[in-house]
Amino acid sequence: DPLSAGENTVVRLSDGLVIFDEGTLAPGVIVQRIDYKLVSASADMKYKGFSLSGEYFARWLDNFHAPGPLPLERIFDQAFQVQISYQVWPRRIEVYGAQSTVIGEFNNAWETAGGINWFPFKNRNVRGQAELMHVVKSPTGSLYTPYLVGQTGKIFYTNLELFF
């Protein structure tokens, strides 16, 4: 059964729907297999307490295998993210801002965020974080993110991370 194969993973469309769920692309039809092509690039730089990073990806989904007709032959999505940060108090307090956008076949989504990281022991083994973000039509969500698929609105959250 291709839907329960161990190598399958969640592939979401730009509207957050899982491509392998029944009815995602056509009523009553379950996509069983696709070809997934991805091109991505990232760049980072640091200078005197400042950090700038950016990412871009383009994704093509095609060669759909399904037991019924589908309304399209290919899906193209692209996205980017930019983040800037500054060590206000070196190795202790970092402030940051970020922007990301997904431009997709079924949805255009974006988020803007700003926050602060606190490193009480001057290393990354213990980190406190507070962040305020504004999300519009989130195309993803999980137990590890503070937002849900399709969510729009402001989110404030804090966390404490311990790495051991």
Side-chain angles (χ1 to χ4, degrees):
D1 176 16
L3 297 177
S4 63
E7 64 274 4
N8 279 343
T9 188
V10 174
V11 177
R12 292 189 184 273
L13 301 178
S14 59
D15 59 3
L17 296 178
V18 177
I19 195 165
F20 299 113
D21 285 351
E22 183 176 343
T24 296
L25 294 181
V29 177
I30 298 174
V31 174
Q32 296 174 340
R33 199 171 74 229
I34 60 171
D35 285 350
Y36 184 107
K37 298 172 189 88
L38 179 73
V39 174
S40 64
S42 65
D44 302 285
M45 63 176 253
K46 291 184 177 185
Y47 180 75
K48 294 186 179 184
F50 282 97
S51 172
L52 176 65
S53 62
E55 301 175 48
Y56 171 82
F57 85 80
R59 177 182 78 171
W60 294 264
L61 306 175
D62 60 16
N63 197 20
F64 304 122
H65 294 268
L70 298 174
L72 43 81
E73 294 180 11
R74 178 174 52 184
I75 297 170
F76 175 71
D77 301 310
Q78 56 187 331
F80 72 89
Q81 174 186 348
V82 176
Q83 181 171 327
I84 188 167
S85 66
Y86 179 66
Q87 293 277 326
V88 176
W89 183 3
R91 300 181 63 205
R92 289 280 190 169
I93 303 288
E94 174 186 53
V95 295
Y96 63 90
Q99 168 69 43
S100 67
T101 300
V102 173
I103 302 163
E105 195 87 25
F106 302 101
N107 181 37
N108 294 329
W110 60 271
E111 71 176 310
T112 299
I116 186 167
N117 289 314
W118 169 53
F119 305 99
F121 301 110
K122 296 185 179 181
N123 61 47
R124 296 195 175 266
N125 293 338
V126 178
R127 175 179 82 145
Q129 179 186 30
E131 182 172 279
L132 176 63
M133 58 186 355
H134 183 74
V135 178
V136 176
K137 300 179 188 176
S138 173
T140 189
S142 73
L143 294 174
Y144 308 107
T145 61
Y147 41 82
L148 304 171
V149 172
Q151 184 171 351
T152 293
K154 290 183 178 31
I155 303 163
F156 176 75
Y157 74 98
T158 62
N159 66 28
L160 178 63
E161 296 175 356
L162 306 170
F163 296 99
F164 52 92

